[in-house]
């Protein structure tokens, strides 16, 4: 590894994402395909979920795969300071990082980068 970071996952972190709303983070190979700034999560990079395998599984199961999975920063407010989130799996299926770490990844990793998310 070039560098490692502490991350937070979906509220149900065991097992791959199966369908929309299951609070799981996808597992597999994806692309970081675009990015945006976010009022709520600071910086965010979109993950190309669902991939072909995810879409095929969803069709077989008759469920929606979900989407809008991001690697993003952490909320930071008076009521909920950033350190509140750092040791929890709290997202709806995204990958969250401390804001300082997210700024570093944002500056180092270009759109079009392939990533692997694995347990």
């Amino acid at each position: 590894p070039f560098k490692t970071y502490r991350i937070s996952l979906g509220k149900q972190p065991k097992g791959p994402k199966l369908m929309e709303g299951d609070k799981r983070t996808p597992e597999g190979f994806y692309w970081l395909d675009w990015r945006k700034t976010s009022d709520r999560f600071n910086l965010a990079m979109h993950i190309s979920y669902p991939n072909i395998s995810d879409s095929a599984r969803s069709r077989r199961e008759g469920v929606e795969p979900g989407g809008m999975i991001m690697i993003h920063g952490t909320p930071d407010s008076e009521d909920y300071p950033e350190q509140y989130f750092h040791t929890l799996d709290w997202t709806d299926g995204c990958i969250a990082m401390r804001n300082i770490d997210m700024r570093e990844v944002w500056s180092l990793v270009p759109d079009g980068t392939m990533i692997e998310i694995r347990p």
Side-chain angles (χ1 to χ4, degrees):
F2 177 69
K3 188 155 188 185
T4 60
Y5 301 92
R6 169 64 175 93
I7 60 169
S8 297
L9 301 173
K11 293 174 191 166
Q12 300 294 325
K14 303 274 189 211
K17 184 162 194 65
L18 301 173
M19 64 183 183
E20 185 173 35
D22 65 6
K23 309 278 191 230
R24 292 183 177 178
T25 301
E27 296 176 2
F29 288 95
Y30 303 94
W31 300 97
L32 296 176
D33 51 3
W34 54 269
R35 63 186 63 209
K36 69 175 190 162
T37 58
S38 167
D39 292 337
R40 188 167 173 208
F41 301 117
N42 300 290
L43 301 174
M45 301 173 81
H46 185 260
I47 297 170
S48 64
Y49 173 86
N51 63 23
I52 292 170
S53 297
D54 300 320
S55 295
R57 184 183 60 240
S58 293
R59 276 193 304 278
R60 282 193 310 273
E61 298 292 326
V63 298
E64 291 296 320
M68 284 305 290
I69 303 296
M70 312 284 276
I71 299 174
H72 59 69
T74 305
D76 191 8
S77 69
E78 274 188 31
D79 292 334
Y80 294 102
E82 184 179 20
Q83 64 266 20
Y84 174 82
F85 296 93
H86 189 56
T87 60
L88 304 172
D89 287 319
W90 57 271
T91 75
D92 288 338
C94 293
I95 298 169
M97 306 173 74
R98 293 183 317 154
N99 292 318
I100 191 169
D101 294 337
M102 187 63 217
R103 283 191 293 276
E104 183 173 78
V105 169
W106 180 277
S107 69
L108 292 173
V109 180
D111 290 351
T113 299
M114 179 179 273
I115 63 168
E116 181 182 9
I117 304 169
R118 58 182 163 163

